Amino acid sequence: MTAPRLDGRTVVVTGAGRGQGAVEARLFAQAGAGVVLTDVREEEGRAVAEEFGDQGLFVAHDVTDAAGWRKVVDAGLEAFGRIDALVNNAALWRTAPVDEDTEDNLRRLLDVNLVGPFLGIQAVVPAMRAAGGGSIVNISSTAGLVGIVGHASYGATKFGLRGLTKSASLDLAPYGIRVNSVHPGMVDTPMVAGALGADAGSREWPNVPLRRMGRPEEVAELVLYLASDASSYVTGAEFAIDGGLTAQ
């Protein structure tokens, strides 16, 4: 099957300075899209955007700031003339048993992992309506599908993002705007390596049916599908990409 194309389209990717977001941004650029990359890591984000030449634009951005979201959309429209897809990728991952966690941690995770995507959806809808439709992809987690030990706060945000996806898909369907969620399991990113060790991606994981960690490129290919017209009849859906972890 031919890989989806995004020629003439514009995609906004949050948390695109490194890891999963950077891989997604690169794949979108390869597919012909103009890419607006946002991150709080300015140096890393600008470096990734520079790889794309005129196809890339970096905007320093905290997803919890509504005014910042408006600046992202305005910059994208000025540079590329339209906004066709949004990937709510930016997130924090912090774990603790529920009886040892803190209110501050829960609130911070909610702000970044749930309020941020909510603000992003609100920000891009006018531009997508003007373009005749669009696609929003919310990066949730397997922790948004099943309970995981030590993930009460994080899982609450990712279950919330799953619910936001479902309801937003119904609100926005009349405008031709599709909203879907992606639920990665263990993926070999810098954030995961920092917690599980630099060799995590090369180790065997017996608890995963496919017995390995996922690659960022595998998740990015699913996100590209959802951002493209190849998934034009898909909305309100959730996609586990976890090597079979949640099938058990």
Side-chain angles (χ1 to χ4, degrees):
M1 184 176 71
T2 303
R5 297 291 304 174
L6 293 172
D7 300 287
R9 306 288 180 89
T10 306
V11 184
V12 177
V13 185
T14 66
R18 65 172 187 171
Q20 185 64 57
V23 173
E24 290 162 358
R26 291 186 179 102
L27 189 59
F28 288 137
Q30 291 169 15
V35 186
V36 182
L37 303 87
T38 89
D39 209 308
V40 293
R41 300 179 181 86
E42 294 192 36
E43 186 175 344
E44 292 171 278
R46 292 187 193 282
V48 177
E50 287 171 1
E51 297 176 19
F52 312 151
D54 292 341
Q55 284 181 256
L57 172 68
F58 175 74
V59 181
H61 175 222
D62 178 347
V63 297
T64 68
D65 178 26
W69 271 109
R70 289 190 291 272
K71 291 179 181 178
V72 168
V73 172
D74 289 346
L77 291 173
E78 182 177 353
F80 301 113
R82 55 190 292 150
I83 303 291
D84 300 281
L86 165 66
V87 182
N88 278 313
N89 174 80
L92 291 179
W93 178 44
R94 298 173 180 171
T95 63
V98 66
D99 56 326
E100 298 175 13
D101 210 342
T102 66
E103 179 183 346
D104 286 346
N105 184 56
L106 172 60
R107 291 186 182 279
R108 180 57 177 160
L109 290 175
L110 284 167
D111 279 346
V112 175
N113 297 358
L114 184 56
V115 176
F118 173 85
L119 295 174
I121 292 170
Q122 288 193 324
V124 300
V125 164
M128 288 187 177
R129 289 184 66 176
S135 174
I136 297 168
V137 184
N138 294 322
I139 308 299
S140 182
S141 166
T142 52
L145 296 173
V146 298
I148 300 176
V149 172
H151 284 64
S153 292
Y154 179 79
T157 69
K158 292 301 189 176
F159 265 92
L161 186 55
R162 178 185 175 195
L164 173 62
T165 299
K166 298 286 190 185
S167 292
S169 73
L170 301 178
D171 290 341
L172 301 179
Y175 312 129
I177 300 171
R178 300 180 295 104
V179 191
N180 295 286
S181 60
V182 171
H183 298 258
M186 299 171 66
V187 179
D188 187 15
T189 64
M191 183 170 65
V192 172
L196 300 179
D199 65 338
S202 60
R203 300 204 310 261
E204 184 174 300
W205 294 91
N207 62 313
V208 178
L210 289 183
R211 304 187 73 81
R212 66 172 177 87
M213 193 172 283
R215 298 185 296 274
E217 292 78 10
E218 292 172 309
V219 180
E221 287 169 0
L222 173 58
V223 176
L224 172 61
Y225 163 75
L226 292 172
S228 75
D229 289 342
S231 60
S232 58
Y233 199 54
V234 179
T235 196
E238 55 200 37
F239 294 82
I241 180 163
D242 62 2
L245 192 62
T246 55
Q248 302 179 93

